[in-house]
Amino acid sequence: MKGGSAIENGEASRAATARAGGVNRGLSIFDFILRLVALIGTLGSAISMGTTDETLPFFTQFIRFKAEYNDLPSFTFFVIANSIVAAYLVLTLPLSIFHIVRSGSRVSRIILILLDAAMLALLTAGASAAAAIVYLAHKGNARANWFAICQQFNSFCERISGSLIGSFGGIVVFILLIFLSSVALSRR
Amino acid sequence: MKGGSAIENGEASRAATARAGGVNRGLSIFDFILRLVALIGTLGSAISMGTTDETLPFFTQFIRFKAEYNDLPSFTFFVIANSIVAAYLVLTLPLSIFHIVRSGSRVSRIILILLDAAMLALLTAGASAAAAIVYLAHKGNARANWFAICQQFNSFCERISGSLIGSFGGIVVFILLIFLSSVALSRR
């Protein structure tokens, strides 16, 4: 009787493990897709910001009016942060595939959550610093006597504003990734 | 024999559960302490930025040269973001105590990881936007014709630079909190 119930328990727990494994596999596939989405977003942001420049059609003898992303340190940081995060995402894609195959792994998931959180902070820092400067470029600031440079560099401003989108999309995806990993970890 | 081994297994697994519970209790206490640290950091940042103003000792008939945090939208956002995160930390302290008492809870830990990740993003966004403007205030930007206002508002600049520290400390603590929660979740 006792032995029988132990065997039944064993079978029940094995079935539960198999079920949890199936759900975890689904979560891992979703994780893989989200990483691809974030990769496209951050890579797009980095390229779009990095290739932006505008030369105004008038110039004096000494000065050519030209705007590039590396005129402003925040934009340089934005490009670097997005590139690092994109590279990180490429490197973690194999790990994501590994989680689809072996859905029970624990240590690799914990490390992934830690690194994801650090990358979330890096990406947010880059996107937010760039957004603060983009806002300033659009509106200027009367108290600090900073002029709205977007009045001259129109298409430059449109490009840099647009390139923020991919980055902010990436932030949302990273929060989702951490959430998914924690769910997968709890169902192990 | 089979029954005996089942009982032994049961005892062994109960001992393992108790051991995991002890470790989880330690992690939860550490979690509580870290939340207090982050609370002090973010609250200090919000208050220190929010109370900063400087009036220059000279003025014309029409203009008084006065610098306050709400002259710059990024600093207002910084104060708001830090206040929200501090309020969130106060609200999650009881949940942290609950985890010390009942170390096996699962759903509340997953929700906590999700909210922690969102708050990490909010705090980083506020700190980074403010840092971008503080950098600009110190260095200015020759290409955009933005002047370094710190040359006039010296003590204002020192205060706002200092108030960033608590916020960036909070970011590191949040990454640690997410890591600790994921470890506790995996040992359940």
Side-chain angles (χ1 to χ4, degrees):
Chain A
M1 191 64 184
K2 193 131 205 170
S5 84
I7 291 169
E8 271 169 25
N9 278 345
E11 267 169 14
S13 83
R14 215 170 302 132
T17 308
R19 204 167 51 241
V23 173
N24 270 8
R25 190 153 295 136
L27 287 174
S28 297
I29 293 170
F30 197 41
D31 180 282
F32 183 79
I33 295 167
L34 280 180
R35 271 174 210 281
L36 278 182
V37 172
L39 176 62
I40 294 166
T42 51
L43 205 62
S45 280
I47 292 172
S48 143
M49 176 73 86
T51 55
T52 301
D53 58 3
E54 184 181 4
T55 308
L56 292 191
F58 51 87
F59 48 88
T60 68
Q61 199 175 354
F62 303 107
I63 309 167
R64 260 189 118 198
F65 296 97
K66 192 166 187 295
E68 263 181 321
Y69 81 96
N70 56 10
D71 290 337
L72 290 152
S74 291
F75 292 160
T76 311
F77 176 51
F78 177 84
V79 173
I80 293 171
N82 273 287
S83 306
I84 290 174
V85 171
Y88 164 80
L89 284 167
V90 170
L91 289 176
T92 52
L93 280 179
L95 203 58
S96 193
I97 294 170
F98 171 75
H99 284 154
I100 296 174
V101 180
R102 296 193 59 176
S103 57
S105 55
R106 192 181 112 186
V107 176
S108 60
R109 275 191 205 275
I110 294 177
I111 294 172
L112 208 56
I113 286 186
L114 177 64
L115 292 178
D116 277 354
M119 288 295 147
L120 168 63
L122 177 64
L123 185 61
T124 313
S128 176
I133 301 296
V134 166
Y135 181 85
L136 204 60
H138 274 286
K139 300 265 179 179
N141 187 290
R143 298 301 302 266
N145 244 338
W146 291 336
F147 305 108
I149 55 168
C150 283
Q151 284 165 1
Q152 285 97 52
F153 295 98
N154 223 314
S155 88
F156 174 72
C157 269
E158 270 171 30
R159 275 286 292 275
I160 57 175
S161 310
S163 68
L164 295 179
I165 297 170
S167 225
F168 278 101
I171 293 170
V172 175
V173 170
F174 263 106
I175 295 176
L176 268 177
L177 281 175
I178 291 172
F179 175 65
L180 284 183
S181 289
S182 70
V183 171
L185 208 51
S186 77
R187 297 187 69 95
R188 205 171 41 85
Chain B
M1 192 63 185
K2 193 129 208 177
S5 86
I7 291 169
E8 270 167 26
N9 277 345
E11 268 168 11
S13 82
R14 216 170 300 134
T17 309
R19 202 166 56 240
V23 173
N24 271 8
R25 188 154 295 135
L27 287 175
S28 297
I29 293 171
F30 196 42
D31 180 282
F32 183 79
I33 295 168
L34 280 181
R35 271 173 210 281
L36 279 181
V37 171
L39 176 61
I40 294 167
T42 51
L43 205 63
S45 280
I47 292 172
S48 143
M49 177 71 85
T51 56
T52 301
D53 57 4
E54 185 180 5
T55 308
L56 292 191
F58 51 86
F59 48 90
T60 68
Q61 200 178 352
F62 303 106
I63 308 167
R64 257 188 121 199
F65 296 97
K66 191 166 187 293
E68 264 182 319
Y69 80 95
N70 55 11
D71 289 338
L72 290 153
S74 291
F75 292 160
T76 312
F77 176 53
F78 177 83
V79 173
I80 294 172
N82 273 285
S83 306
I84 290 174
V85 172
Y88 164 81
L89 284 167
V90 170
L91 289 175
T92 52
L93 280 180
L95 202 61
S96 193
I97 295 171
F98 172 76
H99 284 153
I100 297 174
V101 181
R102 296 193 61 175
S103 57
S105 56
R106 192 182 111 186
V107 177
S108 60
R109 274 192 205 276
I110 295 177
I111 294 171
L112 208 57
I113 286 185
L114 178 63
L115 292 178
D116 277 355
M119 287 295 148
L120 168 62
L122 177 64
L123 185 63
T124 312
S128 176
I133 302 296
V134 165
Y135 181 84
L136 204 59
H138 274 286
K139 300 267 177 176
N141 188 292
R143 298 301 300 264
N145 243 340
W146 291 335
F147 305 109
I149 56 168
C150 284
Q151 284 166 3
Q152 285 99 53
F153 296 98
N154 222 313
S155 88
F156 174 73
C157 269
E158 271 172 30
R159 276 285 292 276
I160 57 174
S161 310
S163 68
L164 295 180
I165 296 169
S167 224
F168 277 101
I171 292 169
V172 175
V173 170
F174 263 105
I175 294 176
L176 269 177
L177 280 175
I178 291 172
F179 174 63
L180 284 183
S181 289
S182 69
V183 171
L185 208 53
S186 77
R187 297 187 69 95
R188 203 171 41 85

